[in-house]
Amino acid sequence: MIMEQNKKVVLLPLKEEDMPEFSQRMQEAFSAAVIETFGSLDDGPIPSDEDIQQSLKASGAEAYQIIYEEQQVGGAVVVINPESQHNSLDFFFISPKQHSHGLGLAAWKAIEEKYPQTHVWETVTPYFEKRNINFYVNKCGFHIVEFFNEHHLDPHYMKDEDDSLPGEEAFFRFEKLMKK
């Protein structure tokens, strides 16, 4: 398959009325990798509705639908700190039906262009998400800077009673230092 190198995606600010569908699409995208790795989802959607709402309501949060050829193909939630410009990519997804077409990289570049004052971008992904790890490191230029696991816990992670995936406390933290 020949892929177009310069895909033009649009970041459309998420409207309140679009949040339920946005959350559902995000959960479908995230669940696909969990099902592929572990075989099933036994305890509800991933991420949970509560996790999504918490991210959307965080101070500095901005959410976008990723649009390509007038279709919603993904979404992102970023948290922007206007003072430090140490910004966070809380959630980022492309519909599994749209994987391997260059849309993720095009969307990430659009996010970088939208926030040119950023000094550092930060994100995390579960240890088992090889596709994400490849994407962030080899496509987007992030570096793995920390590995959270049972011996080195994330100080911001609060384990829920509902947490039941094996090794779900194991995450890589990535950073991308931007040129000034």
Side-chain angles (χ1 to χ4, degrees):
M1 171 190 288
I2 299 174
M3 292 192 302
E4 183 183 331
Q5 292 297 316
N6 296 315
K7 300 250 181 198
K8 180 66 177 162
V9 299
V10 175
L11 300 176
L12 186 66
L14 183 64
K15 296 178 186 173
E16 183 84 27
E17 63 265 22
D18 294 329
M19 285 185 185
E21 182 180 351
F22 179 86
S23 295
Q24 181 182 3
R25 288 177 185 249
M26 181 189 307
Q27 289 168 335
E28 288 171 1
F30 278 53
S31 296
V34 174
I35 292 169
E36 183 179 309
T37 303
F38 299 109
S40 68
L41 281 177
D42 295 332
D43 293 321
I46 296 174
S48 70
D49 293 331
E50 296 79 24
D51 286 345
I52 295 170
Q53 287 304 310
Q54 182 179 6
S55 180
L56 290 171
K57 293 178 181 177
S59 177
E62 298 183 23
Y64 299 96
Q65 293 192 65
I66 298 168
I67 308 296
Y68 177 68
E69 294 184 344
E70 299 182 18
Q71 291 187 319
Q72 197 268 356
V73 297
V77 180
V78 297
V79 177
I80 305 302
N81 183 323
E83 293 165 11
S84 71
Q85 286 300 324
H86 189 120
N87 298 329
S88 173
L89 178 63
D90 274 16
F91 288 113
F92 184 69
F93 69 96
I94 299 294
S95 167
K97 295 175 188 173
Q98 301 293 334
H99 284 180
S100 300
H101 297 288
L103 296 174
L105 184 57
W108 175 248
K109 287 180 179 179
I111 291 169
E112 285 185 350
E113 288 175 17
K114 182 147 187 76
Y115 300 99
Q117 299 304 314
T118 300
H119 296 296
V120 179
W121 279 106
E122 179 177 310
T123 196
V124 298
T125 202
Y127 79 96
F128 64 85
E129 276 279 20
K130 293 176 186 172
R131 182 180 186 86
N132 287 1
I133 295 164
N134 178 65
F135 175 75
Y136 289 124
V137 173
N138 297 323
K139 301 283 184 183
C140 299
F142 281 80
H143 296 276
I144 297 170
V145 295
E146 200 164 12
F147 177 52
F148 298 119
N149 59 74
E150 64 187 51
H151 304 290
H152 178 72
L153 298 176
D154 179 350
H156 303 103
Y157 178 72
M158 298 296 188
K159 187 169 178 71
D160 293 339
E161 291 177 17
D162 295 339
D163 289 350
S164 61
L165 290 175
E168 68 184 21
E169 69 280 350
F171 283 81
F172 287 105
R173 184 172 69 86
F174 302 87
E175 284 187 353
K176 181 174 182 179
L177 303 176
M178 304 302 290
K179 295 178 183 173
K180 295 182 183 180

